[in-house]
Amino acid sequence: MSDTGLFFSVRSYPVLLERDVVLDPDLSYEALSVWVAMLAMPKNAERTVSALTGRGFGRDRVTRALSELERYGLVYRWERRVPEGHGLLTQVFERPASPLTAFRCLPVKIRPFVTRCLSVPGVVVGELRASLAATHTPSLSNT
């Protein structure tokens, strides 16, 4: 085991939490708790405020924690077109990610339907698509 992280299994595969992230004083224990809970959820679980409330965390605390995780780059929320109108897609990362990295990690078949990044105001989805096309970077997730 590496000296740089804390290792425990929360899914069907092990997750390595980087010590720098876990011990960063800029990340509250509130945010860390919600982050670990999100990592522990099954792959297709709903990661909404409602799904994360409980254990002493009401809507306000969860919302505050999610906002903090978004600012830190551990959580990204994307709006996408669905037949009923708009849907929400939430990504959770094990280490901070840039908007381009987060977009690259979206399933290829979903990317065309993403209309905006709710986590980082000012990010233009069209520019993320163009950056991916220019670099011809293969996706990390083809599902």
Side-chain angles (χ1 to χ4, degrees):
M1 180 162 89
S2 168
D3 193 35
T4 61
L6 190 16
F7 182 79
F8 65 97
S9 182
V10 293
R11 299 189 204 165
S12 58
Y13 58 90
V15 174
L16 182 67
L17 298 180
E18 292 185 13
R19 191 178 309 273
D20 291 348
V21 176
V22 173
L23 298 178
D24 189 330
D26 290 336
L27 213 53
S28 70
Y29 285 123
E30 209 169 71
L32 285 171
S33 298
V34 170
W35 178 54
V36 169
M38 292 175 86
L39 287 172
M41 293 174 147
K43 182 180 177 181
N44 293 322
E46 189 175 297
R47 289 174 173 84
T48 61
V49 173
S50 298
L52 293 163
T53 56
R55 295 186 176 191
F57 280 67
R59 293 184 67 78
D60 290 344
R61 285 181 81 182
V62 170
T63 300
R64 193 169 48 242
L66 287 172
S67 294
E68 188 176 336
L69 292 168
E70 288 174 322
R71 284 192 305 274
Y72 202 83
L74 291 169
V75 170
Y76 279 85
R77 291 179 308 126
W78 304 91
E79 184 178 78
R80 65 184 176 133
R81 288 187 313 271
V82 294
E84 302 80 36
H86 292 281
L88 181 67
L89 178 67
T90 303
Q91 293 173 293
V92 184
F93 291 92
E94 295 164 12
R95 64 189 50 85
S98 70
L100 182 58
T101 298
F103 190 76
R104 183 182 299 126
C105 290
L106 289 170
V108 174
K109 63 183 177 185
I110 289 177
R111 286 185 204 154
F113 303 101
V114 171
T115 57
R116 107 184 132 121
C117 178
L118 300 171
S119 301
V120 184
V123 168
V124 178
V125 171
E127 291 175 6
L128 295 176
R129 281 191 189 95
S131 292
L132 282 182
T135 59
H136 298 1
T137 305
S139 73
L140 298 176
S141 173
N142 290 323
T143 57

